Amino acid sequence: MELVIENVSKKYKKDSYGLRDLSLKIETGVLGLLGPNGAGKSTLMRILSTITKPTEGKVSWNGIDISKDPNAVRSILGYLPQDFGVYPHLNAVEFLEYLASIRGLDYKVARKRIDELLQLVNLHDARKKPLNSFSGGMKQRVGIAQALLNDPKLLIVDVPTVGLDPEERIRFRNLLSELSGDRIVILSTHIVSDVESTATDIAIVNQGQLVIHTAPSELLAAAAGKVWEWLVPSQTWMEVRNQLLISSTIQSSEGVRMRVIADNQPSANSRLVNPTLEDAYMYSISAEKQLVKS
């Protein structure tokens, strides 16, 4: 299986691009698609799911141009959009049965599949309750279930953990890992922790362009020697924070312990530490911005 994105651009207005000349080759496994809000991730997801077409370039699924033959990918696609909605007066089973019928799934096969999926997303006990009584996290789990209805070979999930509590987030990450063995999974998010334990590859997008496509280990290696931990007294914290690229902070009685991304030691009191994936992500975005400026 292979999904190939070749020089794809999406132009909205005269000088407004959602994507610009983006190329990416995706194979079996979990691709963590990272980038800040407005980076172009959702635009790319809509193109890959055949909701919209690129202005330039093409996307191919196993050698077939999906703009010319969208059914080639729609038949094997599972998609959870960022703005997923439900029919509030249906219960979970009725809603999933409705979506299964639209997709042409056999009724008996669909009923068995729906029962399995509701168990998988921990909604089996609530399956007969109307969806308007569901919390935001529960509705998101229904969205995950509908994306898996046809046992897709290409699964695209756009910011899927919004509204999920910590236990649900962990369950969902484990689910993605289990699903990735014989399919392509694209997890689009700005939340680095969502991909940290699941992604076999990472692609970072910023301002509609691909910054880097690499393995998590290589992304971490690129940030080695660039991350510093520094305990700053609370009274001087406000003075230094705007001068530094900070990936995280922890308040304590001693002051503010922060992780700083910098080529050189920011203070004699700081110490070099191993980068996390969030550190490495921020370093890549920062390095790309500096390259654009130069």
Side-chain angles (χ1 to χ4, degrees):
M1 288 183 292
E2 188 177 76
L3 184 66
V4 180
I5 304 162
E6 299 177 77
N7 307 114
V8 164
S9 295
K10 182 64 178 180
K11 189 174 183 180
Y12 290 112
K13 297 179 182 178
K14 185 176 181 181
D15 295 312
S16 176
Y17 281 83
L19 295 171
R20 192 187 290 268
D21 198 28
L22 190 146
S23 296
L24 192 60
K25 182 179 177 182
I26 308 170
E27 298 178 326
T28 304
V30 178
L31 175 73
L33 184 66
L34 288 170
N37 289 327
K41 303 184 302 297
S42 292
T43 298
L44 180 59
M45 297 300 94
R46 288 193 293 270
I47 289 173
L48 298 182
S49 57
T50 72
I51 293 171
T52 188
K53 292 184 178 182
T55 308
E56 299 172 8
K58 72 173 183 176
V59 178
S60 302
W61 170 258
N62 292 336
I64 300 172
D65 186 336
I66 67 172
S67 290
K68 296 179 179 178
D69 185 6
N71 288 330
V73 73
R74 286 174 183 169
S75 61
I76 51 82
L77 173 69
Y79 180 44
L80 174 58
Q82 184 175 354
D83 53 355
F84 173 73
V86 299
Y87 290 104
H89 300 297
L90 298 181
N91 63 42
V93 173
E94 292 168 339
F95 180 66
L96 292 172
E97 285 178 345
Y98 170 68
L99 293 179
S101 67
I102 289 177
R103 297 174 192 179
L105 300 181
D106 177 80
Y107 179 75
K108 290 184 179 179
V109 173
R111 283 302 301 266
K112 184 173 183 293
R113 179 70 174 160
I114 289 167
D115 191 63
E116 293 170 348
L117 289 172
L118 290 174
Q119 292 278 8
L120 190 66
V121 299
N122 200 29
L123 284 176
H124 197 263
D125 291 344
R127 65 192 184 279
K128 294 296 186 179
K129 294 181 180 179
L131 295 177
N132 62 5
S133 68
F134 277 25
S135 67
M138 293 171 73
K139 290 175 183 175
Q140 194 72 350
R141 282 185 271 157
V142 173
I144 294 165
Q146 66 80 30
L148 296 170
L149 271 173
N150 60 335
D151 194 19
K153 291 298 181 185
L154 173 61
L155 176 61
I156 297 173
V157 286
D158 195 359
V159 198
T161 59
V162 172
L164 301 186
D165 64 32
E167 184 179 348
E168 291 169 333
R169 292 172 80 101
I170 293 169
R171 184 186 296 114
F172 181 72
R173 292 172 194 165
N174 292 340
L175 173 60
L176 284 188
S177 295
E178 293 168 9
L179 292 170
S180 64
D182 60 347
R183 74 192 79 213
I184 292 173
V185 180
I186 303 175
L187 169 58
S188 171
T189 184
H190 58 274
I191 305 169
V192 179
S193 60
D194 280 351
V195 305
E196 196 156 15
S197 60
T198 58
T200 51
D201 280 283
I202 290 176
I204 297 176
V205 177
N206 192 31
Q207 296 181 337
Q209 296 181 299
L210 181 68
V211 175
I212 190 170
H213 176 209
T214 189
S217 59
E218 293 178 3
L219 191 66
L220 288 166
K226 311 291 183 182
V227 185
W228 311 83
E229 189 174 82
W230 185 11
L231 179 62
V232 179
S234 299
Q235 58 268 30
T236 61
W237 155 241
M238 297 294 289
E239 296 176 19
V240 301
R241 68 173 187 171
N242 294 327
Q243 304 169 23
L244 302 167
L245 179 61
I246 300 170
S247 62
S248 66
T249 59
I250 299 175
Q251 299 277 350
S252 72
S253 59
E254 301 172 283
V256 180
R257 189 175 301 277
M258 59 186 181
R259 295 176 72 90
V260 179
I261 315 296
D263 290 329
N264 301 307
Q265 187 176 20
S267 166
N269 297 324
S270 62
R271 65 184 184 91
L272 198 63
V273 293
N274 291 327
T276 64
L277 197 62
E278 186 161 12
D279 296 326
Y281 162 69
M282 288 193 67
Y283 175 73
S284 295
I285 292 289
S286 175
E288 187 261 346
K289 286 180 180 178
Q290 292 299 321
L291 186 62
V292 170
K293 287 181 181 178
S294 62

